Each structure stands twice: as C-alpha cells, then as structure tokens.
Amino acid sequence: MGEPRGAALRAAAAALLGAGACYCLWRLTAGGRRAGAARGPPADSSPPVSTHGMDVDALQKLIHLLQATDDPLIQEQALITLSNSAAFSVNQDIIRSLDGLSVIGGMLSDCIPKVKEKALNALNNLSMNIRNQEKIQVYITQVCRIIDTAPLNSDLQLAGLRLLTNMSVTNDYHQKMINSIPCFLHLLSEGTERTQIQVLKVLVNLSANPAITRHLLRAQVPSLLLLFDNCINRDILLRALAFAANLKKNMNNEDGTVTEDQYSEDSIFFTLCRDSAPFAQKLAFLLHHPDIEVKEQVVRILTQ
C-alpha cells in the first residue's frame, strides 16, 4: 500500500483498536522496524478496546479497515476487536447486517496462520447466533481443510475445532463434516489432551445424530480403547464415554438393520458396539471410578 494511504489506515486503526494496538502498529509500520528485530507483543496481549459500547458506525469502520488493508498486524488487531465485540449479542446482529461475516470469512484464505486463527476466533464468537450460523456454514468445508493441514496441536487447529464445535451443536450442518471424520479421529489419537478434548466435543455432537452413526462406526481408530482408562483426564474420559453411548443408542435404534459385514474388524463398530470383551472390561473397571458422572455414563452404555 502507498505511504499516504498506509498512514491513513494506521490512523484509522489507532482510533479503532486502542492504545495497545497502536504500539504494535508502530513496531511494525513506523521507523521502529529493523531487520531481524523481534516483533512486538502478541496481538492478544494488547489492552482490549471497550467493545460493548461500539456503535454501528465504529463496527462498520472496523469492517472497512479489514477490507482496505493487507497489513497482517492491522488485520489481526481488527479481527481481535471484532471477536471481542461479538461476545455481545447485539453486535452479532450488527456485524451480520454490515456483511461482516463474509469479510471475516474471506480472511480464512489468508496465507498467514495468525490472521486465519483470529478470523476463526471471530467467526466462533459470531456463530453463537443461529442466523449467523446460516451464513457461516458456507465456510465449514474450508475450516475442515484448515484443521487437516494445520500443524498438529497448533492454535490455528484448535481455533478451527472450536468453530466446528459451535457449528455442530445442531444437526443442520453435520453432512458438511462427514469427509473430515478420519481427520478428527486422527487428532483424537495423536493430539495433546487439549486437542483431544476439543475434537471430542465435535465428535460427541456428531455422534448424537443418527444420520452420522454409520459414518462414525466405519471409521478406524486403533488407539480408541486407550481413552477408557481410569487414569485418563476426566474431561477426555467423560466425552469419550458420551461418544460411545451415543453410538450404541443410535445403533440399537436401527431395529436390527446393522449388519457386521458393513464394518472392518478394526472399525469403531467392532471396538465399541459389537460384543467387545476388551471394551466390556474397560467399562467394568470404570464402574469403580470415583467420579459420579463417569459412572453414570458407563451405566448409560451398559443399559442400552
């Protein structure tokens, strides 16, 4: 961007994004940048601008700023501010009416991971609104690709999973996620506890939908039984049990239409839903777990 236009954008950004952002912008765009110099504080550490009181005009200027600049630091700060503002339901509606969802969604194509991450965070907050979900759903396939290609356990990957968690609360958009089930299960096997918890939230939502049951049962997760140990993180264990309980419930409701020849021997079906001695043994041990909710989920599985 040209210097006069760049200066104008920096001034607009300074007014909209607050003093903390100003410091970051100065470090990047003013004379303070040096070859090999460390970047300024991470975007998320900037003192937050007060977003509760942002009016339509301020939000519109922020959206226009996103459209006008190709400066990644300005983009990050603008997306953080929009994300914070979206914590308030009135702002969620305003941002949608200003076509902000498509502007933010367009940032998912940015080549810079931090910009994509901040865009995902903003869409995540905006997806609390049902009408916004109707607009955001067009990005689900792209978000699934981002999750699949992002570095394992990265903030970018987690941001994508958080958005899919919200978008999978209802059954409306589950079909758009079916092709990513192998990716989700890979993350469940290979991810850190933080990644496992987040991907299990998506899988539990999907498993509650009878239309998705067979897609999940056909999938292969050799290490799945490892999640059903007494020593496993409680948040992981509870969600793994809820996942198994949902699948068993849906399978039992199919009135005998499930046949074993539909599934390979290393599928989730053979691991959890067929008369699996290893899984039954895991459940028997978990009946003695000290946590009441864990016991309740085990009983739910055993009584279906």
Side-chain angles (χ1 to χ4, degrees), residues 56-105:
V56 176
D57 184 59
L59 288 170
Q60 187 168 49
K61 287 178 180 176
L62 201 54
I63 292 166
H64 286 167
L65 177 64
L66 259 186
Q67 291 175 301
T69 184
D70 57 3
D71 187 316
L73 191 50
I74 295 178
Q75 290 170 337
E76 283 184 49
Q77 291 291 341
L79 287 165
I80 289 170
T81 305
L82 284 169
S83 181
N84 291 340
S85 74
F88 303 98
S89 57
V90 63
N91 290 341
Q92 294 169 10
D93 292 327
I94 292 171
I95 292 170
R96 182 184 67 251
S97 70
L98 296 173
D99 199 32
L101 295 176
S102 65
V103 174
I104 296 170

mmCIF file of all heavy atoms in Angstrom, residues 56-105:
data_model
loop_
_atom_site.group_PDB
_atom_site.id
_atom_site.type_symbol
_atom_site.label_atom_id
_atom_site.label_comp_id
_atom_site.label_asym_id
_atom_site.label_seq_id
_atom_site.Cartn_x
_atom_site.Cartn_y
_atom_site.Cartn_z
ATOM 1 N N VAL A 56 -22.812 1.160 15.526
ATOM 2 C CA VAL A 56 -22.819 0.658 14.156
ATOM 3 C C VAL A 56 -21.711 1.291 13.335
ATOM 4 O O VAL A 56 -21.018 0.617 12.564
ATOM 5 C CB VAL A 56 -24.196 0.927 13.500
ATOM 6 C CG1 VAL A 56 -24.175 0.495 12.030
ATOM 7 C CG2 VAL A 56 -25.300 0.190 14.250
ATOM 8 N N ASP A 57 -21.508 2.593 13.519
ATOM 9 C CA ASP A 57 -20.504 3.307 12.737
ATOM 10 C C ASP A 57 -19.101 2.777 13.022
ATOM 11 O O ASP A 57 -18.305 2.560 12.102
ATOM 12 C CB ASP A 57 -20.573 4.807 13.043
ATOM 13 C CG ASP A 57 -19.623 5.615 12.177
ATOM 14 O OD1 ASP A 57 -19.755 5.550 10.940
ATOM 15 O OD2 ASP A 57 -18.753 6.303 12.740
ATOM 16 N N ALA A 58 -18.807 2.516 14.305
ATOM 17 C CA ALA A 58 -17.475 2.012 14.668
ATOM 18 C C ALA A 58 -17.255 0.612 14.107
ATOM 19 O O ALA A 58 -16.176 0.298 13.586
ATOM 20 C CB ALA A 58 -17.328 2.011 16.186
ATOM 21 N N LEU A 59 -18.268 -0.239 14.184
ATOM 22 C CA LEU A 59 -18.136 -1.590 13.646
ATOM 23 C C LEU A 59 -17.980 -1.569 12.128
ATOM 24 O O LEU A 59 -17.203 -2.332 11.557
ATOM 25 C CB LEU A 59 -19.355 -2.438 14.041
ATOM 26 C CG LEU A 59 -19.410 -2.845 15.518
ATOM 27 C CD1 LEU A 59 -20.770 -3.454 15.855
ATOM 28 C CD2 LEU A 59 -18.298 -3.839 15.854
ATOM 29 N N GLN A 60 -18.710 -0.655 11.467
ATOM 30 C CA GLN A 60 -18.601 -0.550 10.012
ATOM 31 C C GLN A 60 -17.197 -0.103 9.603
ATOM 32 O O GLN A 60 -16.613 -0.631 8.647
ATOM 33 C CB GLN A 60 -19.644 0.418 9.471
ATOM 34 C CG GLN A 60 -19.705 0.463 7.948
ATOM 35 C CD GLN A 60 -20.923 1.197 7.455
ATOM 36 O OE1 GLN A 60 -21.223 2.300 7.907
ATOM 37 N NE2 GLN A 60 -21.652 0.588 6.521
ATOM 38 N N LYS A 61 -16.651 0.848 10.341
ATOM 39 C CA LYS A 61 -15.293 1.311 10.039
ATOM 40 C C LYS A 61 -14.282 0.183 10.241
ATOM 41 O O LYS A 61 -13.314 0.067 9.479
ATOM 42 C CB LYS A 61 -14.947 2.510 10.927
ATOM 43 C CG LYS A 61 -15.660 3.803 10.523
ATOM 44 C CD LYS A 61 -15.313 4.939 11.466
ATOM 45 C CE LYS A 61 -16.029 6.225 11.038
ATOM 46 N NZ LYS A 61 -15.780 7.331 11.994
ATOM 47 N N LEU A 62 -14.512 -0.615 11.258
ATOM 48 C CA LEU A 62 -13.611 -1.733 11.535
ATOM 49 C C LEU A 62 -13.654 -2.748 10.394
ATOM 50 O O LEU A 62 -12.616 -3.257 9.945
ATOM 51 C CB LEU A 62 -14.024 -2.383 12.850
ATOM 52 C CG LEU A 62 -13.010 -3.225 13.616
ATOM 53 C CD1 LEU A 62 -11.727 -2.444 13.867
ATOM 54 C CD2 LEU A 62 -13.616 -3.679 14.938
ATOM 55 N N ILE A 63 -14.847 -3.027 9.906
ATOM 56 C CA ILE A 63 -15.001 -3.966 8.786
ATOM 57 C C ILE A 63 -14.363 -3.396 7.521
ATOM 58 O O ILE A 63 -13.673 -4.099 6.775
ATOM 59 C CB ILE A 63 -16.489 -4.298 8.566
ATOM 60 C CG1 ILE A 63 -17.017 -5.115 9.750
ATOM 61 C CG2 ILE A 63 -16.699 -5.069 7.262
ATOM 62 C CD1 ILE A 63 -18.525 -5.215 9.819
ATOM 63 N N HIS A 64 -14.566 -2.100 7.278
ATOM 64 C CA HIS A 64 -13.946 -1.450 6.118
ATOM 65 C C HIS A 64 -12.426 -1.475 6.234
ATOM 66 O O HIS A 64 -11.715 -1.611 5.226
ATOM 67 C CB HIS A 64 -14.449 -0.017 5.983
ATOM 68 C CG HIS A 64 -15.852 0.073 5.480
ATOM 69 N ND1 HIS A 64 -16.594 1.233 5.517
ATOM 70 C CD2 HIS A 64 -16.660 -0.872 4.911
ATOM 71 C CE1 HIS A 64 -17.796 1.001 5.001
ATOM 72 N NE2 HIS A 64 -17.857 -0.267 4.631
ATOM 73 N N LEU A 65 -11.924 -1.324 7.453
ATOM 74 C CA LEU A 65 -10.480 -1.372 7.671
ATOM 75 C C LEU A 65 -9.927 -2.737 7.266
ATOM 76 O O LEU A 65 -8.879 -2.830 6.617
ATOM 77 C CB LEU A 65 -10.173 -1.088 9.139
ATOM 78 C CG LEU A 65 -8.700 -1.158 9.579
ATOM 79 C CD1 LEU A 65 -7.882 -0.086 8.870
ATOM 80 C CD2 LEU A 65 -8.592 -0.999 11.090
ATOM 81 N N LEU A 66 -10.638 -3.787 7.633
ATOM 82 C CA LEU A 66 -10.225 -5.144 7.248
ATOM 83 C C LEU A 66 -10.164 -5.295 5.733
ATOM 84 O O LEU A 66 -9.275 -5.946 5.191
ATOM 85 C CB LEU A 66 -11.208 -6.175 7.810
ATOM 86 C CG LEU A 66 -10.836 -6.950 9.064
ATOM 87 C CD1 LEU A 66 -11.887 -8.003 9.345
ATOM 88 C CD2 LEU A 66 -9.466 -7.593 8.937
ATOM 89 N N GLN A 67 -11.132 -4.715 5.053
ATOM 90 C CA GLN A 67 -11.181 -4.809 3.592
ATOM 91 C C GLN A 67 -10.077 -4.000 2.932
ATOM 92 O O GLN A 67 -9.585 -4.369 1.860
ATOM 93 C CB GLN A 67 -12.538 -4.318 3.078
ATOM 94 C CG GLN A 67 -13.710 -5.223 3.437
ATOM 95 C CD GLN A 67 -15.033 -4.626 3.010
ATOM 96 O OE1 GLN A 67 -15.414 -3.526 3.422
ATOM 97 N NE2 GLN A 67 -15.747 -5.344 2.151
ATOM 98 N N ALA A 68 -9.675 -2.902 3.580
ATOM 99 C CA ALA A 68 -8.779 -1.951 2.935
ATOM 100 C C ALA A 68 -7.305 -2.283 3.102
ATOM 101 O O ALA A 68 -6.472 -1.873 2.287
ATOM 102 C CB ALA A 68 -9.046 -0.539 3.482
ATOM 103 N N THR A 69 -6.967 -3.025 4.167
ATOM 104 C CA THR A 69 -5.552 -3.229 4.465
ATOM 105 C C THR A 69 -5.090 -4.641 4.114
ATOM 106 O O THR A 69 -5.863 -5.592 4.183
ATOM 107 C CB THR A 69 -5.266 -2.968 5.960
ATOM 108 O OG1 THR A 69 -3.865 -3.079 6.198
ATOM 109 C CG2 THR A 69 -5.991 -3.964 6.844
ATOM 110 N N ASP A 70 -3.812 -4.732 3.745
ATOM 111 C CA ASP A 70 -3.191 -6.049 3.601
ATOM 112 C C ASP A 70 -2.068 -6.211 4.628
ATOM 113 O O ASP A 70 -1.235 -7.101 4.519
ATOM 114 C CB ASP A 70 -2.658 -6.251 2.180
ATOM 115 C CG ASP A 70 -1.654 -5.178 1.770
ATOM 116 O OD1 ASP A 70 -1.334 -4.311 2.621
ATOM 117 O OD2 ASP A 70 -1.189 -5.191 0.617
ATOM 118 N N ASP A 71 -2.068 -5.331 5.617
ATOM 119 C CA ASP A 71 -1.082 -5.378 6.689
ATOM 120 C C ASP A 71 -1.524 -6.423 7.708
ATOM 121 O O ASP A 71 -2.570 -6.279 8.345
ATOM 122 C CB ASP A 71 -0.992 -3.995 7.349
ATOM 123 C CG ASP A 71 0.140 -3.921 8.361
ATOM 124 O OD1 ASP A 71 0.280 -4.886 9.151
ATOM 125 O OD2 ASP A 71 0.855 -2.916 8.378
ATOM 126 N N PRO A 72 -0.772 -7.510 7.901
ATOM 127 C CA PRO A 72 -1.236 -8.597 8.772
ATOM 128 C C PRO A 72 -1.431 -8.196 10.225
ATOM 129 O O PRO A 72 -2.320 -8.719 10.896
ATOM 130 C CB PRO A 72 -0.149 -9.670 8.633
ATOM 131 C CG PRO A 72 1.042 -8.959 8.095
ATOM 132 C CD PRO A 72 0.524 -7.829 7.267
ATOM 133 N N LEU A 73 -0.643 -7.270 10.731
ATOM 134 C CA LEU A 73 -0.804 -6.892 12.120
ATOM 135 C C LEU A 73 -2.081 -6.077 12.324
ATOM 136 O O LEU A 73 -2.794 -6.246 13.315
ATOM 137 C CB LEU A 73 0.414 -6.114 12.619
ATOM 138 C CG LEU A 73 0.467 -5.907 14.138
ATOM 139 C CD1 LEU A 73 0.253 -7.214 14.887
ATOM 140 C CD2 LEU A 73 1.778 -5.271 14.546
ATOM 141 N N ILE A 74 -2.374 -5.185 11.372
ATOM 142 C CA ILE A 74 -3.644 -4.456 11.442
ATOM 143 C C ILE A 74 -4.809 -5.442 11.323
ATOM 144 O O ILE A 74 -5.810 -5.344 12.042
ATOM 145 C CB ILE A 74 -3.730 -3.386 10.337
ATOM 146 C CG1 ILE A 74 -2.663 -2.304 10.552
ATOM 147 C CG2 ILE A 74 -5.112 -2.737 10.317
ATOM 148 C CD1 ILE A 74 -2.650 -1.233 9.475
ATOM 149 N N GLN A 75 -4.684 -6.416 10.421
ATOM 150 C CA GLN A 75 -5.746 -7.416 10.261
ATOM 151 C C GLN A 75 -5.976 -8.183 11.557
ATOM 152 O O GLN A 75 -7.112 -8.384 11.984
ATOM 153 C CB GLN A 75 -5.372 -8.385 9.131
ATOM 154 C CG GLN A 75 -5.409 -7.762 7.743
ATOM 155 C CD GLN A 75 -4.794 -8.671 6.686
ATOM 156 O OE1 GLN A 75 -3.972 -9.546 6.995
ATOM 157 N NE2 GLN A 75 -5.178 -8.476 5.442
ATOM 158 N N GLU A 76 -4.878 -8.604 12.184
ATOM 159 C CA GLU A 76 -5.009 -9.351 13.446
ATOM 160 C C GLU A 76 -5.728 -8.530 14.500
ATOM 161 O O GLU A 76 -6.649 -9.004 15.172
ATOM 162 C CB GLU A 76 -3.627 -9.753 13.964
ATOM 163 C CG GLU A 76 -2.982 -10.926 13.262
ATOM 164 C CD GLU A 76 -1.665 -11.300 13.917
ATOM 165 O OE1 GLU A 76 -1.644 -11.426 15.163
ATOM 166 O OE2 GLU A 76 -0.660 -11.441 13.200
ATOM 167 N N GLN A 77 -5.304 -7.267 14.655
ATOM 168 C CA GLN A 77 -5.905 -6.416 15.693
ATOM 169 C C GLN A 77 -7.371 -6.134 15.395
ATOM 170 O O GLN A 77 -8.208 -6.133 16.309
ATOM 171 C CB GLN A 77 -5.114 -5.100 15.800
ATOM 172 C CG GLN A 77 -3.714 -5.255 16.374
ATOM 173 C CD GLN A 77 -3.748 -5.629 17.859
ATOM 174 O OE1 GLN A 77 -4.755 -5.430 18.534
ATOM 175 N NE2 GLN A 77 -2.654 -6.179 18.355
ATOM 176 N N ALA A 78 -7.702 -5.917 14.132
ATOM 177 C CA ALA A 78 -9.098 -5.665 13.764
ATOM 178 C C ALA A 78 -9.948 -6.905 14.040
ATOM 179 O O ALA A 78 -11.073 -6.801 14.554
ATOM 180 C CB ALA A 78 -9.187 -5.272 12.292
ATOM 181 N N LEU A 79 -9.419 -8.074 13.726
ATOM 182 C CA LEU A 79 -10.164 -9.307 13.957
ATOM 183 C C LEU A 79 -10.341 -9.581 15.453
ATOM 184 O O LEU A 79 -11.398 -10.065 15.886
ATOM 185 C CB LEU A 79 -9.448 -10.484 13.284
ATOM 186 C CG LEU A 79 -9.546 -10.511 11.757
ATOM 187 C CD1 LEU A 79 -8.522 -11.473 11.164
ATOM 188 C CD2 LEU A 79 -10.957 -10.894 11.310
ATOM 189 N N ILE A 80 -9.321 -9.278 16.253
ATOM 190 C CA ILE A 80 -9.448 -9.438 17.704
ATOM 191 C C ILE A 80 -10.543 -8.530 18.242
ATOM 192 O O ILE A 80 -11.376 -8.936 19.071
ATOM 193 C CB ILE A 80 -8.109 -9.145 18.405
ATOM 194 C CG1 ILE A 80 -7.101 -10.257 18.110
ATOM 195 C CG2 ILE A 80 -8.294 -9.005 19.913
ATOM 196 C CD1 ILE A 80 -5.682 -9.940 18.550
ATOM 197 N N THR A 81 -10.570 -7.283 17.762
ATOM 198 C CA THR A 81 -11.577 -6.337 18.229
ATOM 199 C C THR A 81 -12.981 -6.778 17.809
ATOM 200 O O THR A 81 -13.932 -6.715 18.589
ATOM 201 C CB THR A 81 -11.287 -4.918 17.691
ATOM 202 O OG1 THR A 81 -9.950 -4.546 18.053
ATOM 203 C CG2 THR A 81 -12.252 -3.897 18.282
ATOM 204 N N LEU A 82 -13.127 -7.249 16.578
ATOM 205 C CA LEU A 82 -14.415 -7.769 16.126
ATOM 206 C C LEU A 82 -14.819 -9.002 16.931
ATOM 207 O O LEU A 82 -15.993 -9.174 17.281
ATOM 208 C CB LEU A 82 -14.357 -8.111 14.640
ATOM 209 C CG LEU A 82 -14.419 -6.927 13.675
ATOM 210 C CD1 LEU A 82 -14.071 -7.365 12.256
ATOM 211 C CD2 LEU A 82 -15.823 -6.293 13.700
ATOM 212 N N SER A 83 -13.848 -9.852 17.233
ATOM 213 C CA SER A 83 -14.132 -11.047 18.025
ATOM 214 C C SER A 83 -14.618 -10.677 19.417
ATOM 215 O O SER A 83 -15.595 -11.241 19.924
ATOM 216 C CB SER A 83 -12.868 -11.912 18.119
ATOM 217 O OG SER A 83 -13.114 -13.086 18.855
ATOM 218 N N ASN A 84 -13.953 -9.714 20.036
ATOM 219 C CA ASN A 84 -14.379 -9.262 21.359
ATOM 220 C C ASN A 84 -15.770 -8.643 21.316
ATOM 221 O O ASN A 84 -16.597 -8.864 22.206
ATOM 222 C CB ASN A 84 -13.377 -8.254 21.926
ATOM 223 C CG ASN A 84 -12.048 -8.893 22.283
ATOM 224 O OD1 ASN A 84 -11.955 -10.104 22.462
ATOM 225 N ND2 ASN A 84 -10.999 -8.082 22.377
ATOM 226 N N SER A 85 -16.026 -7.865 20.272
ATOM 227 C CA SER A 85 -17.338 -7.215 20.165
ATOM 228 C C SER A 85 -18.445 -8.237 19.970
ATOM 229 O O SER A 85 -19.584 -8.042 20.399
ATOM 230 C CB SER A 85 -17.344 -6.206 19.013
ATOM 231 O OG SER A 85 -17.379 -6.853 17.750
ATOM 232 N N ALA A 86 -18.118 -9.362 19.327
ATOM 233 C CA ALA A 86 -19.113 -10.394 19.041
ATOM 234 C C ALA A 86 -19.514 -11.167 20.292
ATOM 235 O O ALA A 86 -20.420 -12.007 20.237
ATOM 236 C CB ALA A 86 -18.585 -11.353 17.982
ATOM 237 N N ALA A 87 -18.873 -10.893 21.425
ATOM 238 C CA ALA A 87 -19.297 -11.512 22.677
ATOM 239 C C ALA A 87 -20.656 -10.969 23.112
ATOM 240 O O ALA A 87 -21.307 -11.553 23.982
ATOM 241 C CB ALA A 87 -18.252 -11.268 23.763
ATOM 242 N N PHE A 88 -21.088 -9.863 22.515
ATOM 243 C CA PHE A 88 -22.373 -9.253 22.845
ATOM 244 C C PHE A 88 -23.354 -9.509 21.706
ATOM 245 O O PHE A 88 -23.056 -9.239 20.546
ATOM 246 C CB PHE A 88 -22.211 -7.753 23.081
ATOM 247 C CG PHE A 88 -21.206 -7.444 24.165
ATOM 248 C CD1 PHE A 88 -19.902 -7.101 23.838
ATOM 249 C CD2 PHE A 88 -21.553 -7.525 25.496
ATOM 250 C CE1 PHE A 88 -18.963 -6.836 24.820
ATOM 251 C CE2 PHE A 88 -20.624 -7.261 26.498
ATOM 252 C CZ PHE A 88 -19.327 -6.917 26.156
ATOM 253 N N SER A 89 -24.528 -10.032 22.035
ATOM 254 C CA SER A 89 -25.474 -10.492 21.008
ATOM 255 C C SER A 89 -25.909 -9.373 20.069
ATOM 256 O O SER A 89 -26.106 -9.610 18.875
ATOM 257 C CB SER A 89 -26.696 -11.137 21.665
ATOM 258 O OG SER A 89 -27.323 -10.233 22.561
ATOM 259 N N VAL A 90 -26.038 -8.161 20.582
ATOM 260 C CA VAL A 90 -26.461 -7.065 19.716
ATOM 261 C C VAL A 90 -25.431 -6.811 18.619
ATOM 262 O O VAL A 90 -25.781 -6.528 17.468
ATOM 263 C CB VAL A 90 -26.731 -5.782 20.547
ATOM 264 C CG1 VAL A 90 -25.458 -5.296 21.248
ATOM 265 C CG2 VAL A 90 -27.314 -4.677 19.665
ATOM 266 N N ASN A 91 -24.146 -6.953 18.971
ATOM 267 C CA ASN A 91 -23.095 -6.755 17.977
ATOM 268 C C ASN A 91 -23.060 -7.888 16.952
ATOM 269 O O ASN A 91 -22.682 -7.676 15.792
ATOM 270 C CB ASN A 91 -21.731 -6.639 18.668
ATOM 271 C CG ASN A 91 -21.580 -5.343 19.448
ATOM 272 O OD1 ASN A 91 -22.309 -4.388 19.216
ATOM 273 N ND2 ASN A 91 -20.644 -5.316 20.384
ATOM 274 N N GLN A 92 -23.447 -9.082 17.353
ATOM 275 C CA GLN A 92 -23.501 -10.201 16.407
ATOM 276 C C GLN A 92 -24.458 -9.890 15.257
ATOM 277 O O GLN A 92 -24.171 -10.161 14.100
ATOM 278 C CB GLN A 92 -23.945 -11.479 17.129
ATOM 279 C CG GLN A 92 -22.957 -11.985 18.159
ATOM 280 C CD GLN A 92 -23.532 -13.087 19.026
ATOM 281 O OE1 GLN A 92 -24.610 -13.611 18.750
ATOM 282 N NE2 GLN A 92 -22.816 -13.443 20.086
ATOM 283 N N ASP A 93 -25.596 -9.308 15.601
ATOM 284 C CA ASP A 93 -26.579 -8.952 14.569
ATOM 285 C C ASP A 93 -26.087 -7.797 13.702
ATOM 286 O O ASP A 93 -26.271 -7.789 12.484
ATOM 287 C CB ASP A 93 -27.916 -8.577 15.216
ATOM 288 C CG ASP A 93 -28.592 -9.765 15.879
ATOM 289 O OD1 ASP A 93 -28.439 -10.886 15.374
ATOM 290 O OD2 ASP A 93 -29.274 -9.564 16.902
ATOM 291 N N ILE A 94 -25.444 -6.833 14.343
ATOM 292 C CA ILE A 94 -24.953 -5.671 13.597
ATOM 293 C C ILE A 94 -23.882 -6.094 12.591
ATOM 294 O O ILE A 94 -23.903 -5.685 11.428
ATOM 295 C CB ILE A 94 -24.395 -4.598 14.566
ATOM 296 C CG1 ILE A 94 -25.529 -3.988 15.400
ATOM 297 C CG2 ILE A 94 -23.661 -3.499 13.793
ATOM 298 C CD1 ILE A 94 -25.048 -3.088 16.528
ATOM 299 N N ILE A 95 -22.945 -6.913 13.042
ATOM 300 C CA ILE A 95 -21.852 -7.359 12.161
ATOM 301 C C ILE A 95 -22.415 -8.122 10.966
ATOM 302 O O ILE A 95 -21.956 -7.960 9.835
ATOM 303 C CB ILE A 95 -20.832 -8.200 12.950
ATOM 304 C CG1 ILE A 95 -20.090 -7.303 13.951
ATOM 305 C CG2 ILE A 95 -19.837 -8.880 12.012
ATOM 306 C CD1 ILE A 95 -19.237 -8.064 14.954
ATOM 307 N N ARG A 96 -23.425 -8.946 11.207
ATOM 308 C CA ARG A 96 -24.052 -9.666 10.082
ATOM 309 C C ARG A 96 -24.711 -8.692 9.117
ATOM 310 O O ARG A 96 -24.566 -8.814 7.898
ATOM 311 C CB ARG A 96 -25.100 -10.662 10.604
ATOM 312 C CG ARG A 96 -25.761 -11.478 9.492
ATOM 313 C CD ARG A 96 -26.861 -12.391 9.993
ATOM 314 N NE ARG A 96 -28.009 -11.648 10.500
ATOM 315 C CZ ARG A 96 -28.335 -11.560 11.785
ATOM 316 N NH1 ARG A 96 -27.613 -12.173 12.708
ATOM 317 N NH2 ARG A 96 -29.377 -10.855 12.170
ATOM 318 N N SER A 97 -25.421 -7.694 9.639
ATOM 319 C CA SER A 97 -26.135 -6.747 8.776
ATOM 320 C C SER A 97 -25.177 -5.894 7.951
ATOM 321 O O SER A 97 -25.545 -5.391 6.889
ATOM 322 C CB SER A 97 -27.036 -5.840 9.626
ATOM 323 O OG SER A 97 -26.269 -4.941 10.415
ATOM 324 N N LEU A 98 -23.936 -5.756 8.426
ATOM 325 C CA LEU A 98 -22.931 -4.970 7.705
ATOM 326 C C LEU A 98 -22.098 -5.841 6.761
ATOM 327 O O LEU A 98 -21.088 -5.390 6.240
ATOM 328 C CB LEU A 98 -22.002 -4.274 8.709
ATOM 329 C CG LEU A 98 -22.654 -3.230 9.617
ATOM 330 C CD1 LEU A 98 -21.666 -2.749 10.678
ATOM 331 C CD2 LEU A 98 -23.148 -2.034 8.783
ATOM 332 N N ASP A 99 -22.525 -7.076 6.559
ATOM 333 C CA ASP A 99 -21.815 -8.038 5.715
ATOM 334 C C ASP A 99 -20.429 -8.368 6.273
ATOM 335 O O ASP A 99 -19.515 -8.753 5.541
ATOM 336 C CB ASP A 99 -21.693 -7.516 4.270
ATOM 337 C CG ASP A 99 -21.387 -8.642 3.284
ATOM 338 O OD1 ASP A 99 -21.835 -9.773 3.527
ATOM 339 O OD2 ASP A 99 -20.674 -8.382 2.297
ATOM 340 N N GLY A 100 -20.298 -8.230 7.592
ATOM 341 C CA GLY A 100 -19.016 -8.507 8.217
ATOM 342 C C GLY A 100 -18.646 -9.985 8.194
ATOM 343 O O GLY A 100 -17.462 -10.329 8.198
ATOM 344 N N LEU A 101 -19.659 -10.859 8.146
ATOM 345 C CA LEU A 101 -19.360 -12.293 8.156
ATOM 346 C C LEU A 101 -18.581 -12.702 6.912
ATOM 347 O O LEU A 101 -17.631 -13.490 6.991
ATOM 348 C CB LEU A 101 -20.657 -13.100 8.250
ATOM 349 C CG LEU A 101 -21.460 -12.928 9.554
ATOM 350 C CD1 LEU A 101 -22.772 -13.699 9.476
ATOM 351 C CD2 LEU A 101 -20.648 -13.389 10.753
ATOM 352 N N SER A 102 -18.974 -12.164 5.767
ATOM 353 C CA SER A 102 -18.263 -12.526 4.535
ATOM 354 C C SER A 102 -16.869 -11.907 4.500
ATOM 355 O O SER A 102 -15.928 -12.504 3.960
ATOM 356 C CB SER A 102 -19.066 -12.098 3.303
ATOM 357 O OG SER A 102 -19.173 -10.694 3.238
ATOM 358 N N VAL A 103 -16.720 -10.734 5.083
ATOM 359 C CA VAL A 103 -15.398 -10.095 5.140
ATOM 360 C C VAL A 103 -14.470 -10.906 6.034
ATOM 361 O O VAL A 103 -13.321 -11.211 5.671
ATOM 362 C CB VAL A 103 -15.507 -8.644 5.647
ATOM 363 C CG1 VAL A 103 -14.114 -8.033 5.836
ATOM 364 C CG2 VAL A 103 -16.328 -7.796 4.681
ATOM 365 N N ILE A 104 -14.967 -11.298 7.207
ATOM 366 C CA ILE A 104 -14.159 -12.103 8.123
ATOM 367 C C ILE A 104 -13.897 -13.478 7.514
ATOM 368 O O ILE A 104 -12.775 -14.000 7.566
ATOM 369 C CB ILE A 104 -14.863 -12.240 9.487
ATOM 370 C CG1 ILE A 104 -14.992 -10.864 10.140
ATOM 371 C CG2 ILE A 104 -14.098 -13.199 10.402
ATOM 372 C CD1 ILE A 104 -15.889 -10.848 11.365
ATOM 373 N N GLY A 105 -14.925 -14.069 6.899
ATOM 374 C CA GLY A 105 -14.755 -15.366 6.257
ATOM 375 C C GLY A 105 -13.713 -15.333 5.160
ATOM 376 O O GLY A 105 -12.983 -16.302 4.947
#
